[in-house]
Amino acid sequence: MTTVQAGTDRPLRVVAYTDAAGIGGAEISLGHLVATASDQIQISVVGVSQTVVEAIAHRRPQADRFILPPRGLQAFAAHLHTLLRLRPDIVHANLCTPWACATGLTAALMLPHARVVRVDQLPLRTTDAIALWRTRAISLRVDAHVAVGKASAQRMEDFYALGRDSVLSIPNGVPDFGEPESPVETNKQLVVGSVGRLDLMKAHEVLLQAISPLEGVKVVILGEGEQRTALEKLAFNLGISDRVSLPGWVDNPRLYLPGFDVIALPSRSEGFPLAIVEAMLAARPVIATRVGSVPEAVWHGETGLLIDKNDVNGLTQAIRQLRDDPALRSQLGRRAREVAIAHFTVEAMTESYENLWKKLMITPQVPRLRVPRPRD
């Protein structure tokens, strides 16, 4: 892994910042980066939720942790004061939506000499004029703007008129835990697993409708959210309640992957979901929608199958194809693991970010408004 230093006399100082109030894929990805970054880098984790900050930092015990107020004038003052005291070389802001982290990013842009990295985990367009203007204004002033895939980068450029090739692509990665367990081929039901919040964006109702006409198929959806009651009602109305399991939120979905034959993510919108890479590393074929940067990992007919969003019939056909062809399931799963090992490990992601940090430290800084450092 690349060694990154601020100079000959001290290590690079990095602030990993998020204003997320809960833990999702974006925060898990940041936790992977914090855990695997070089020990020669001094990392502080800064956020507005103690639960989130602790979750991100827990695998790097030496990381300092700071909890700041989430909003208001007092919040901005606290953000600015804390960042000035930390004197970071890099402020690495991890955004779960493009309009997130505005307070932290604004404060970071006022720091003398710090380089500011903005990472957009989900390429969404806002219809709120103020949020759109603020997102674009901040994006144009940061030292590096990153999205989690090539398609996601282009969408951010288009959504916020940032200019082509102004947003870099660094895919999310996850740790590899070694050779996965092979599914046991029996006459049991095909188990289709899905991982994600129970909300409309994840389109789990499409998955339930898709398995309704299929015999010998069971669905397990790992996640929790506001759509639980609606999904339970839909399963009952479709007469498939005995083939649908909603265990709720689980701390480590990867422990469930050996029990799944296929992973299905019929999302209506995504950046680069960790669940897909985890499934690929577990050598499980993935059925997913052509949204965000998903097609950059799920190669149709090679590492999985792609369908259009909201396409119930297409998902039914894809599940039927994999149900009836165990050899294809195995072939797609093996190739998926090969591709994930080559491109989507946490080590590859971390090396890309460390290389970016190193490049920024030797690149002239973009002039912007400064505030004086406080005296020690």
Side-chain angles (χ1 to χ4, degrees), residues 186-198:
T186 67
N187 292 324
K188 66 178 179 63
Q189 289 180 313
L190 181 85
V191 180
V192 178
S194 190
V195 181
R197 299 181 311 278
L198 305 184

Side-chain angles (χ1 to χ4, degrees), residues 106-122:
T106 302
L109 288 168
M110 299 180 72
L111 299 180
H113 310 303
R115 306 303 202 269
V116 181
V117 178
R118 171 196 175 105
V119 180
D120 277 289
Q121 294 283 345
L122 189 60

Side-chain angles (χ1 to χ4, degrees), residues 235-363:
F236 177 80
N237 291 339
L238 292 172
I240 58 172
S241 294
D242 60 332
R243 295 195 282 132
V244 174
S245 176
L246 303 173
W249 167 264
V250 296
D251 290 330
N252 190 357
R254 293 178 74 160
L255 297 177
Y256 287 73
L257 292 179
F260 298 157
D261 301 296
V262 175
I263 306 298
L265 281 86
S267 304
R268 295 185 170 97
S269 179
E270 287 287 359
F272 191 89
L274 297 180
I276 284 181
V277 181
E278 290 176 339
M280 293 172 68
L281 286 172
R284 296 308 190 263
V286 178
I287 304 172
T289 44
R290 296 180 178 89
V291 294
S293 290
V294 169
E296 293 167 40
V298 181
W299 304 346
H300 186 70
E302 187 169 351
T303 67
L305 300 175
L306 290 170
I307 61 170
D308 295 328
K309 64 181 179 181
N310 300 318
D311 185 359
V312 175
N313 291 333
L315 183 52
T316 298
Q317 293 171 14
I319 295 173
R320 179 186 290 114
Q321 182 180 6
L322 294 185
R323 180 198 64 182
D324 297 341
D325 194 341
L328 177 61
R329 295 203 303 268
S330 180
Q331 174 188 326
L332 294 176
R334 287 195 306 270
R335 181 59 177 148
R337 176 166 170 79
E338 291 174 358
V339 170
I341 288 291
H343 300 289
F344 304 126
T345 62
V346 69
E347 289 80 11
M349 176 189 73
T350 301
E351 182 175 9
S352 293
Y353 278 119
E354 289 190 357
N355 285 336
L356 174 60
W357 298 341
K358 180 180 180 179
K359 181 179 178 180
L360 290 176
M361 293 304 298
I362 62 175
T363 302

Side-chain angles (χ1 to χ4, degrees), residues 48-60:
V48 302
S49 163
Q50 183 169 354
T51 299
V52 172
V53 168
E54 292 296 335
I56 290 170
H58 83 281
R59 288 188 290 135
R60 194 181 185 94

Side-chain angles (χ1 to χ4, degrees), residues 95-143:
L95 286 70
C96 56
T97 66
W99 45 90
C101 295
T103 300
L105 282 167
T106 302
L109 288 168
M110 299 180 72
L111 299 180
H113 310 303
R115 306 303 202 269
V116 181
V117 178
R118 171 196 175 105
V119 180
D120 277 289
Q121 294 283 345
L122 189 60
L124 297 176
R125 189 203 311 262
T126 179
T127 57
D128 180 270
I130 294 177
L132 189 150
W133 175 86
R134 183 179 62 210
T135 298
R136 184 172 189 272
I138 291 174
S139 297
L140 290 171
R141 295 179 65 200
V142 298
D143 297 280

